[in-house]
Amino acid sequence: MKNPIIMLTAALMLGGVASAQKVAFEEYDLDNGMHVILHNDSSAPVVVTSVMYHVGSKDENPERTGFAHFFEHLLFEGTENIKRGEWMKIVTANGGTNNANTSDDRTYYYEVFPSNNLELALWMESERLMHPVINKIGVDTQNEVVKEEKRTRYDNQPYGNILPEVKKNMFKNHPYRWTTIGSIKDLDAATLDEFKAFNKKFYTPNNAVLVIAGDFDKAKTKEWIQKYFGPIKKGEKLQKQTFTEEPITQTIKAKYEDPNIQIPMLIASYRTPSMKTRDARVLDLISSYLSDGKSSKLYKKIVDDKKMALQIGAVGFSQEDYGMYILYGLPMKPNTSEDLLKEIDEEIVKLQTNLISEKDYEKLQNKFDNNYVNSNSTVEGIAENLASYYLLYGDVNLINTEIDLYHSITREEIRDVAKKYLNPNQRLILDYVPTTKAQN
């Protein structure tokens, strides 16, 4: 029987998480279709201004990959009213910071300013949307930047091509089959008119959400939003193509030789459902149970106890249409990748056959409560979460309720979802090895 004091403490803690972390927000639409979300937090005199566009690498022409990531860079080049090279100078001169990032599904820009510079931030983001300057000098400059990024992060990085190789083998029809950085060959071949057409199609108010989070006066902020974003013309209504993949029913086997490594790596990758599904959230718990941290089942067994590997872990890719759960391991001689896979499969079979212990289940819940608290612990985190839940999930209030979904997942569901998705005939086994030259 459980200790009643421990049970009561856990219940109180979960209740505290659910109430104390509630994020208040207001949302509305401008006439041009731009969605606006406001979150007021006066605990610090800062404000985040962010825009998330519903465009990522999956929206690209297969012969022009890398466009979405390219625009992440290109739209810092300048506007009709912000001279080339001045964007960062304006931000830093006014005590701010800014950045952007791109995924397969969306592109996100944000600024963090002292509260008294909110109007400046709104003007700058409206300039990026309304008056971007897309010319040859900007395209050529950013092409070189992207090439260097690709060399640094992929081509010359040890194990840098794991993700490109996994995606290429896991997806045959879906644009997830290429990486966000895309192909330099495609970018080199693209014309200026193609870049302008991509901008006109996807960087529109009705394909975006504007989030303001932090210390601001709501009435004045609404006036500024209308002043700067209201006049922007609505873009074309996008009809996004749907791509489906046939289920994986036989093990996919592939090999890749990396000249930058000396130790082979085992890669076992499973295709998972859309991050919007309940099964995807169950798989999040499974991933944490098997491979999150040094107390996880796989790390404790394979690295600590049996000392068969230098490292064991996993990367989960939660995406709008499909996801991936990628397990990896670095075998320690005389053990091989095949030996590691045997140990991994034994743990997965246990998970598929037996219910995890109540102690392990409580540990998972506590870990996800902690993740939830941390993700909403800063206004920057809240701003991005609000944008993502609206744009990708279609429900902003998931910022408050998604943790309840995790709490509602049972041990039986964990067992059954492991049976459904984590079988040997449903995965890619990538033999990621040094080149012959690297081995000598």
Side-chain angles (χ1 to χ4, degrees):
M1 181 178 176
K2 288 185 181 178
N3 185 321
I5 296 177
I6 294 176
M7 291 176 65
L8 178 61
T9 302
L12 289 173
M13 186 182 71
L14 294 182
V17 167
S19 60
Q21 290 294 313
K22 185 173 176 59
V23 175
F25 61 88
E26 178 184 346
E27 55 180 327
Y28 64 97
D29 288 319
L30 299 181
D31 290 342
N32 57 19
M34 174 168 260
H35 196 69
V36 179
I37 304 174
L38 306 177
H39 165 69
N40 214 305
D41 180 353
S42 58
S43 61
V46 296
V47 63
V48 179
T49 304
S50 68
V51 180
M52 185 176 285
Y53 295 91
H54 204 172
V55 56
S57 57
K58 74 176 182 186
D59 299 296
E60 297 161 350
N61 177 338
E63 296 180 354
R64 290 293 184 267
T65 62
F67 265 45
H69 170 261
F70 194 84
F71 268 86
E72 175 198 321
H73 293 264
L74 190 62
L75 293 184
F76 280 102
E77 274 287 307
T79 74
E80 292 176 12
N81 297 301
I82 301 174
K83 292 181 180 179
R84 184 170 182 269
E86 292 295 310
W87 187 284
M88 302 296 185
K89 293 179 183 178
I90 294 172
V91 171
T92 54
N94 287 276
T97 60
N98 71 141
N99 215 328
N101 54 70
T102 311
S103 76
D104 290 357
D105 301 312
R106 92 295 179 273
T107 306
Y108 185 61
Y109 300 88
Y110 66 93
E111 286 83 32
V112 184
F113 273 117
S115 297
N116 60 354
N117 279 324
L118 173 58
E119 185 178 10
L120 173 64
L122 289 168
W123 172 71
M124 292 182 77
E125 280 302 331
S126 70
E127 274 292 301
R128 194 201 306 271
L129 181 54
M130 194 189 315
H131 299 130
V133 172
I134 300 172
N135 56 23
K136 187 175 187 304
I137 187 172
V139 168
D140 289 348
T141 299
Q142 294 308 320
N143 202 356
E144 291 305 311
V145 172
V146 171
K147 284 179 180 177
E148 180 58 27
E149 182 179 346
K150 187 174 185 299
R151 284 191 289 265
T152 302
R153 292 191 178 183
Y154 294 87
D155 300 339
N156 299 325
Q157 177 79 22
Y159 306 101
N161 276 299
I162 290 173
L163 187 56
E165 289 301 308
V166 168
K167 295 184 77 170
K168 181 177 73 177
N169 285 285
M170 292 289 287
F171 297 100
K172 300 303 178 187
N173 301 316
H174 200 286
Y176 287 163
R177 65 185 181 271
W178 59 79
T179 56
T180 53
I181 203 162
S183 163
I184 298 301
K185 175 176 64 69
D186 290 351
L187 294 176
D188 283 343
T191 66
L192 189 59
D193 285 343
E194 286 176 311
F195 285 111
K196 289 180 177 179
F198 192 84
N199 180 78
K200 183 180 180 181
K201 181 176 182 178
F202 291 108
Y203 296 85
T204 63
N206 47 304
N207 195 42
V209 54
L210 168 68
V211 178
I212 313 298
D215 183 25
F216 59 88
D217 178 87
K218 187 177 288 187
K220 177 57 73 175
T221 298
K222 287 184 175 181
E223 288 180 19
W224 287 334
I225 290 171
Q226 183 58 42
K227 176 182 177 181
Y228 294 112
F229 288 91
I232 302 174
K233 291 183 180 179
K234 189 173 188 176
E236 67 175 272
K237 185 176 181 180
L238 295 177
Q239 298 292 336
K240 292 204 172 188
Q241 189 174 349
T242 300
F243 297 90
T244 57
E245 291 284 343
E246 292 297 320
I248 299 172
T249 57
Q250 288 187 317
T251 304
I252 302 169
K253 293 187 178 181
K255 181 178 181 180
Y256 181 78
E257 293 188 355
D258 187 336
N260 302 307
I261 66 172
Q262 295 182 337
I263 301 172
M265 178 176 278
L266 163 70
I267 306 291
S269 180
Y270 304 81
R271 192 192 301 149
T272 56
S274 164
M275 62 189 184
K276 294 180 276 191
T277 64
R278 184 175 179 87
D279 279 0
R281 294 178 172 96
V282 179
L283 283 160
D284 288 341
L285 292 179
I286 290 172
S287 174
S288 183
Y289 173 81
L290 286 175
S291 51
D292 183 11
K294 294 186 177 182
S295 64
S296 65
K297 295 300 177 184
L298 292 179
Y299 191 96
K300 192 169 187 313
K301 174 187 179 184
I302 298 173
V303 178
D304 279 353
D305 295 344
K306 294 194 172 185
K307 295 182 171 44
M308 297 176 63
L310 296 168
Q311 187 178 354
I312 203 88
V315 180
F317 284 85
S318 296
Q319 296 169 293
E320 193 173 15
D321 298 339
Y322 294 97
M324 293 181 295
Y325 176 45
I326 306 173
L327 283 160
Y328 63 89
L330 292 173
M332 185 184 296
K333 289 183 178 180
N335 299 290
T336 65
S337 293
E338 289 76 15
D339 296 329
L340 297 193
L341 185 61
K342 181 175 179 290
E343 298 293 333
I344 288 171
D345 283 346
E346 283 182 3
E347 289 304 309
I348 291 175
V349 169
K350 288 180 187 176
L351 191 60
Q352 294 170 329
T353 307
N354 306 310
L355 298 181
I356 67 172
S357 71
E358 291 193 19
K359 180 180 178 182
D360 283 333
Y361 178 74
E362 288 177 5
K363 177 184 170 185
L364 281 176
Q365 295 291 348
N366 292 339
K367 183 175 287 189
F368 274 72
D369 286 340
N370 185 55
N371 293 343
Y372 168 70
V373 170
N374 287 338
S375 71
N376 291 329
S377 62
T378 65
V379 286
E380 293 97 324
I382 288 172
E384 185 167 358
N385 287 339
L386 287 168
S388 296
Y389 283 125
Y390 168 75
L391 200 75
L392 302 179
Y393 291 82
D395 181 1
V396 185
N397 200 44
L398 278 172
I399 197 169
N400 294 312
T401 61
E402 189 174 41
I403 190 63
D404 298 328
L405 294 175
Y406 284 107
H407 287 163
S408 70
I409 293 169
T410 65
R411 294 187 296 151
E412 287 78 9
E413 281 183 280
I414 291 172
R415 178 195 62 200
D416 294 344
V417 167
K419 281 184 187 177
K420 185 176 180 181
Y421 295 101
L422 303 184
N423 296 301
N425 66 321
Q426 294 173 295
R427 68 189 178 192
L428 162 71
I429 299 297
L430 174 63
D431 196 16
Y432 198 97
V433 298
T435 61
T436 305
K437 181 179 179 182
Q439 288 175 309
N440 292 336

